[in-house]
């Protein structure tokens, strides 16, 4: 079996772990999911990712690969058993990498900044940043999707995976703050995209239910309030 | 001519701008270098990189590409007029991406932390981080180079470009702090690699002289001391 020698070290609530899971599903690669206990690092994790000591780590045969977006690119490079994840055109590929980098370097810090905010003012500023970021991503969606359903066109691609993995946490943040960030009136492209993404067969089984994630969020936000923000993944 | 439709918006002191310049040299692609004035952003820059408004931006035909490592990957994808920059093996490619990401996400903040340090203690902590980082990179060099001269093997590759672009700034930092970070006794692999890298024909003409860079550094460190750290590039 193509994927029988693939192990993925991860945790169900981690958006970063969701990325290689979706990529492996797209390529129909079977893998063993080794769930790391939250707050504990297994010897296999420490040995496989000595630099960051973070999930996800994918082990292919005996070779560990770290960093979620690097793993996704590796999966795309190795398996041709499913559609390509990165665009085939070099310029489209550069644009996809640009937005994936933006999502991790700018969008995610704003999103997590809402929960990390020490007071109302900081939280408000973070929410504004997220909304501005979604505005930019709405424009990017219009350009990249070329009138089709996903950033990747007709199918889920690299930017879809990069951004889509945060949808669970966006919904939890909306719920906890009694607000709508993926507002159909403001970001109609992204609002429709989010629904399509979550109901895609490669995503459904790995996207956590909002209720369950919200329960988990309460636990970690309470830890954060005590100043011990756990960073479960990279 | 293959590269006559390539423009690069940059500035000579920027390590990030050096990356696409080296990649273009490796591929023997001619390009027009449009020097941005320090502290001023040209209309072309603002229009080409509206998200970050930072150099480098490469414009190929009428298409702008931003973010130095994304540009390097694009150059490698588009031009086969020179040796490959990324390794051809998918696992080696993942490892190269891992170290390039480490260099930007961890190593560079430590290096710039030396100059940004508000007091002796902060500067010392940053120097220790840089030295620890160089220790990790020495191990990476041993593994990646497989006994040859560069991270990329016999020739300059992706990690060489990612790390090598900081060599000018490492030398300036050494000079300003009266210390040796690329110490032959501690990181013999990297010390030899640094000399080979700087004398490579693709690098020589774009690596700034330490004296000239030190003069520039004095200007920006003085601005930093006043709390206005200029970030000339991404």
């Amino acid at each position: 079996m193509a994927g029988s020698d693939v192990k993925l070290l991860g945790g169900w609530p981690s958006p970063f772990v969701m990325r290689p899971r979706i990529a492996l599903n797209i390529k129909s690669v079977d893998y063993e999911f080794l769930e790391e206990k939250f707050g504990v690092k297994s010897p296999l994790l420490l040995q496989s990712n000595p630099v960051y000591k973070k999930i996800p780590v994918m082990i292919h045969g005996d070779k560990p690969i770290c960093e979620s977006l690097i793993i996704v690119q590796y999966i795309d490079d190795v398996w041709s058993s499913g559609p390509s994840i990165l665009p085939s055109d070099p310029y489209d590929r550069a644009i996809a990498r640009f937005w994936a980098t933006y999502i991790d370097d700018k969008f995610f810090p704003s999103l997590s900044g809402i929960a990390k905010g020490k007071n109302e003012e900081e939280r408000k500023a973070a929410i504004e940043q997220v909304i501005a970021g979604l505005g930019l991503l709405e424009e990017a969606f219009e350009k990249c999707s070329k009138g089709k359903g996903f950033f990747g066109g007709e199918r889920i691609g690299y930017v879809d995976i990069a951004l889509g993995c945060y949808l669970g946490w966006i919904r939890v943040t909306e719920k906890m703050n009694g607000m709508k960030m993926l507002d159909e009136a403001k970001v109609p492209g992204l609002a429709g995209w989010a629904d399509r993404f979550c109901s895609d067969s490669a995503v459904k089984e790995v996207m956590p239910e909002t209720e369950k994630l919200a329960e988990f969020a309460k636990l970690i936000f309470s830890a954060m309030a005590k100043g011990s923000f756990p960073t479960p993944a990279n």
Side-chain angles (χ1 to χ4, degrees), chain A residues 165-203:
Chain A
C165 75
Y166 294 124
L167 283 171
W169 284 95
I170 288 174
R171 286 173 175 170
V172 165
T173 308
E174 286 180 334
K175 192 179 157 82
M176 288 184 137
N177 293 275
M179 57 170 304
K180 195 88 186 148
M181 291 188 291
L182 276 172
D183 186 340
E184 256 183 66
K186 287 181 186 155
V187 285
L190 286 185
W193 163 83
D195 291 340
R196 279 188 297 280
F197 182 83
C198 291
S199 51
D200 189 276
S201 61
V203 175

Side-chain angles (χ1 to χ4, degrees), chain A residues 2 11 13 15 21 24 42 55 82 86 120 125 132 134 136-137 140 152 157 164 191 197 199 205 231:
Chain A
R21 298 184 85 181
L24 289 165
S42 74
I55 53 172
L86 277 118
E120 200 52 34
L134 288 172
L136 266 183
L137 289 165
F197 182 83
S199 51
E205 60 153 357
T231 49

Side-chain angles (χ1 to χ4, degrees), chain A residues 27-45:
Chain A
K27 300 286 186 174
S28 304
V29 175
D30 286 330
Y31 63 96
E32 191 181 346
F33 188 57
L34 302 175
E35 182 106 24
E36 289 281 314
K37 275 187 197 151
F38 188 67
V40 184
K41 291 176 195 292
S42 74
L44 184 59
L45 174 59

Side-chain angles (χ1 to χ4, degrees), chain A residues 102-113:
Chain A
Y102 171 83
I103 287 162
D104 276 4
D105 289 358
K106 298 286 170 194
F107 182 74
F108 174 65
S110 307
L111 183 63
S112 60

